[in-house]
């Protein structure tokens, strides 16, 4: 598994993932109908924000196109922190360790290359698989935002997790 920067030609694939209701239902973000044009504008905005956002495609062995995305966004150079995001778009590859590997690689980049001190995230408290991935990579629970996400017609809690640079056991 390797990471590379998200590229313009990845946008149709990303848009397909964003149209997959089962994938989106596991995320804290609301389900929306997003056209490819909107995703192209999102990508252009990313290019303008490359100093504070890092967005990578996840490449699995023997796969010719990306299978997911991993990002650290909103990087704050004063407080040395950023927000983590992960999506394995290929559901047939869920449960095979790609999320954990991608998380560790992005954390290694965040702590060893970008000199961040803290990486944080929010995850639906019902998304046990994602929570396992994050905790396996070293994230620790910090709190719960009660009924903070509206998903599938009801409110769900968001679990807040973070990892500090000295807690990360990845090697440079």
């Amino acid at each position: 598994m390797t990471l590379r920067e998200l590229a313009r030609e990845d946008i149709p694939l990303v848009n397909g993932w964003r149209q997959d209701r089962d994938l989106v239902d596991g995320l804290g973000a609301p389900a929306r109908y997003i056209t490819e044009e909107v995703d192209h504008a999102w990508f252009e905005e990313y290019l303008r924000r490359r100093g504070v956002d890092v967005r990578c495609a996840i490449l699995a062995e023997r796969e010719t196109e990306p299978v997911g995305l991993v990002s650290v966004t909103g990087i704050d150079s004063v407080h040395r922190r950023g927000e983590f995001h992960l999506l394995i778009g290929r559901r047939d590859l869920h449960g095979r360790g790609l999320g954990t590997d991608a998380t560790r690689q992005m954390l290694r980049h965040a702590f060893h290359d970008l000199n961040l001190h803290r990486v944080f995230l929010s995850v639906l408290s019902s998304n046990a698989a994602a929570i396992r991935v994050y905790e396996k990579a070293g994230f620790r629970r910090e709190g719960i935002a009660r009924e903070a996400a509206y998903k599938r017609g009801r409110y769900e809690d968001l679990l807040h997790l973070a990892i500090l640079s000295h807690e990360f056991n990845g090697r440079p």
Side-chain angles (χ1 to χ4, degrees), residues 12 21 55 60-61 79-80 83 87 107 109 120 140:
R21 187 62 183 246
R55 296 189 184 276
E61 289 183 36
H79 299 291
R80 295 179 39 221
E83 185 171 6
L87 173 68
L107 290 175
H109 180 59
F120 62 93
R140 295 185 184 179

Side-chain angles (χ1 to χ4, degrees), residues 77-91:
S77 61
V78 173
H79 299 291
R80 295 179 39 221
R81 65 182 175 212
E83 185 171 6
F84 184 84
H85 310 272
L86 174 69
L87 173 68
I88 303 299
R90 289 266 310 272
R91 285 189 281 144

Side-chain angles (χ1 to χ4, degrees), residues 13-71:
L13 185 61
V14 171
N15 184 260
W17 296 334
R18 288 164 56 121
Q19 301 306 317
D20 183 331
R21 187 62 183 246
D22 289 335
L23 284 175
V24 174
D25 279 349
L27 304 175
R32 294 193 174 129
Y33 296 104
I34 299 171
T35 65
E36 198 171 306
E37 180 182 341
V38 169
D39 273 336
H40 279 288
W42 168 80
F43 179 77
E44 294 303 321
E45 180 63 19
Y46 158 66
L47 292 178
R48 286 188 284 280
R49 294 179 49 85
R50 285 180 77 230
V52 295
D53 292 347
V54 176
R55 296 189 184 276
C56 291
I58 301 167
L59 304 171
E61 289 183 36
R62 296 183 297 278
E63 295 292 332
T64 59
E65 58 185 18
V67 299
L69 300 172
V70 62
S71 306

